[in-house]
Amino acid sequence: MHHIISIRDFERDEIDALITKAQKIQSLGSYKRTLSGKLVALLFFEPSTRTKMSFASALSRLGGDAITVDSVEGSSISKGETLADTIRVVSSYVDAIVLRHPKEGAARLASEFASVPVINAGDGAGQHPSQTLLDLYTIKENMPLDNIDVGLLGDLRYGRTAHSLSYALSNYDVRLHTIAPKGLEIPQWLSKELKDRGLDIIEHSSMDEIINELDVLYATRIQRERFPDSASYSRVAHSYRITPETLENVRKNLILLHPLPRAGEIDPGVDSLPYAKYFRQAENGIPIRMAMLEDVML
Ligand code: CP
């Protein structure tokens, strides 16, 4: 049985194979109903628009069906049932489980109790492997993942998309420039691990220092829901914003990515500029998640 829990579990050739599979699916335009008769549980114990809906859409395009839990309140977890028991039971109803959960490590725990494949759709500040795969897919759509400068902007402490993506990039020949408000820097243990894996990481205190030398700028939202209290969130809220003026002297080939939802980090005036690739990035969730669903169920 094959689970997808963390991008750390992937070798580079496995990442590349999934991206190639997604490219083939996308280029076909019409899809084979390879998952006809398969049923998938979408267990989302945290809010989601893109991940939940694109998994549902990907599954439906492949002929499969979804059953969904959208909140803790909508499940017997609200009556005190453990995640382990929930997963054991749901495993007997479906052919795979896609899980989003507020606690780091929840998807790994679920995989230990599941009798069907589990896909991690985001576990607290931990990992978000399907997001990372679509991020890499979108970069590859625009440029080779080779000898490029990637800027990672925002909440690098709590942001699971940043944790997942930075680890995945350590498989490639990139220079990673981190830009975070004070207190939201990439965790030291992760930075050390990435350096040990050979990734060239350069920390910056402001976006202006480096933006004109980047090929990819990956902006992220400050993860308000992970802060211990509202005062510590307020100290860093709205501390950066990308506007058309910010991008006046950037490289012509720059692509601006964001996992979305955005919460003020990118001015809507940027949306019509050629650098803005974040809506295309969200759209790329479909072929990537189709490839992932086939990968775990066929
Ligand atoms: N990027 C992402 O995970 O978005 P959702 O929270 O809407 O799924």
Side-chain angles (χ1 to χ4, degrees):
M1 193 167 46
H2 172 41
H3 306 288
I4 299 181
I5 304 301
S6 168
I7 208 72
R8 291 163 174 272
D9 302 334
F10 284 78
E11 300 292 338
R12 175 180 167 158
D13 60 342
E14 294 170 315
I15 293 176
D16 290 340
L18 265 175
I19 290 175
T20 303
K21 186 177 166 73
Q23 283 166 336
K24 279 189 189 146
I25 288 172
Q26 195 164 44
S27 67
L28 280 178
S30 65
Y31 311 116
K32 293 192 186 124
R33 296 175 72 79
T34 51
L35 297 183
S36 176
K38 300 282 187 192
L39 190 56
V40 175
L42 304 180
L43 302 184
F44 276 68
F45 297 117
E46 264 195 341
S48 169
T49 297
R50 276 146 292 274
T51 312
K52 185 175 62 188
M53 296 191 73
S54 61
F55 264 118
S57 169
L59 180 64
S60 174
R61 284 161 199 246
L62 292 170
D65 291 302
I67 52 174
T68 307
V69 170
D70 282 329
S71 63
V72 169
E73 293 73 31
S75 80
S76 287
I77 287 190
S78 64
K79 301 177 204 161
E81 186 167 48
T82 61
L83 179 64
D85 280 1
T86 303
I87 293 294
R88 268 195 185 112
V89 172
V90 173
S91 283
S92 66
Y93 299 158
V94 295
D95 301 294
I97 294 172
V98 177
L99 175 69
R100 171 167 289 191
H101 196 281
K103 287 221 173 77
E104 200 169 329
R108 182 81 64 197
L109 178 97
S111 71
E112 286 161 15
F113 290 91
S115 54
V116 295
V118 173
I119 297 177
N120 182 6
D123 61 326
Q127 285 275 314
H128 196 346
S130 64
Q131 178 69 48
T132 298
L133 289 167
L134 74 89
D135 296 341
L136 296 175
Y137 183 95
T138 309
I139 297 173
K140 278 194 159 189
E141 206 171 42
N142 288 278
M143 65 191 75
L145 257 167
D146 186 37
N147 193 24
I148 55 171
D149 288 274
V150 177
L152 204 48
L153 168 70
D155 182 352
L156 311 187
R157 176 176 180 183
Y158 296 116
R160 58 191 171 207
T161 59
H163 298 164
S164 275
L165 180 61
S166 58
Y167 192 91
L169 289 174
S170 68
N171 290 296
Y172 298 90
D173 178 20
V174 303
R175 285 169 297 281
L176 184 66
H177 301 269
T178 62
I179 314 139
K182 208 167 163 37
L184 297 182
E185 294 89 355
I186 194 163
Q188 274 191 355
W189 62 265
L190 178 55
S191 168
K192 179 177 179 318
E193 187 181 12
L194 297 175
K195 281 179 191 154
D196 289 348
R197 285 176 55 81
L199 186 66
D200 198 0
I201 302 193
I202 309 106
E203 290 196 31
H204 300 269
S205 51
S206 89
M207 188 163 48
D208 301 343
E209 276 176 29
I210 189 63
I211 190 162
N212 296 343
E213 291 162 47
L214 296 176
D215 301 295
V216 178
L217 176 56
Y218 191 97
T220 63
R221 174 177 69 88
I222 294 185
Q223 307 283 298
R224 181 180 200 149
E225 63 276 27
R226 314 242 180 265
F227 279 67
D229 52 66
S230 55
S232 44
Y233 169 73
S234 299
R235 274 195 286 277
V236 285
H238 315 300
S239 50
Y240 53 94
R241 184 172 173 86
I242 300 164
T243 64
E245 292 69 41
T246 319
L247 300 171
E248 262 168 10
N249 296 310
V250 295
R251 286 181 179 166
K252 260 199 174 130
N253 68 323
L254 174 84
I255 60 168
L256 176 57
L257 302 180
H258 191 304
L260 303 177
R262 60 179 155 178
E265 306 83 32
I266 301 179
D267 186 287
V270 172
D271 297 353
S272 56
L273 300 181
Y275 314 111
K277 301 290 182 193
Y278 30 90
F279 291 117
R280 171 68 178 174
Q281 183 186 0
E283 192 181 332
N284 287 339
I286 300 285
I288 277 291
R289 290 175 173 128
M290 288 169 89
M292 293 173 75
L293 288 165
E294 281 195 349
D295 197 51
V296 299
M297 280 189 282
L298 289 185

